[in-house]
Amino acid sequence: MVKVAVFVSGGGTNLQALIDARDRGELPHGQLALVVSNNQNAYALERAANAGIPTAVCLREKDAPRADFEARLLDILGQNSIDM
């Protein structure tokens, strides 16, 4: 089973479509294993929690190098053994 991370920043309507597809058995080879947001107030994080999917927030600090943000993001994905 491929462990999939979904990236969100807002309401999470696309995430909800994936959750619904999962619940209908339409994702037989993928596991929605993590939802990552760059917005700690994104409603998508609540959708994920309601669906039993772990969440993480990765904020890009103002004036910080993009590489720092990307390194933290890769660390989150690695800690969760994300495949895709």
Side-chain angles (χ1 to χ4, degrees), residues 8-50:
V8 299
S9 62
T13 55
N14 289 329
L15 171 63
Q16 188 63 55
L18 290 169
I19 292 167
D20 293 344
R22 176 200 68 181
D23 293 347
R24 290 189 303 266
E26 296 173 355
L27 302 175
H29 304 292
Q31 172 192 4
L32 298 178
L34 181 67
V35 171
V36 182
S37 181
N38 63 344
N39 174 1
Q40 62 192 7
N41 298 312
Y43 181 68
L45 295 171
E46 187 172 330
R47 288 183 194 263
N50 290 339

Side-chain angles (χ1 to χ4, degrees), residues 26-79:
E26 296 173 355
L27 302 175
H29 304 292
Q31 172 192 4
L32 298 178
L34 181 67
V35 171
V36 182
S37 181
N38 63 344
N39 174 1
Q40 62 192 7
N41 298 312
Y43 181 68
L45 295 171
E46 187 172 330
R47 288 183 194 263
N50 290 339
I53 304 168
T55 63
V57 175
C58 186
L59 302 176
R60 182 170 180 203
E61 297 173 22
K62 187 175 182 173
D63 299 325
R66 182 171 186 83
D68 292 353
F69 169 77
E70 292 171 352
R72 285 194 323 276
L73 183 56
L74 287 173
D75 187 49
I76 290 168
L77 297 175
Q79 288 177 14

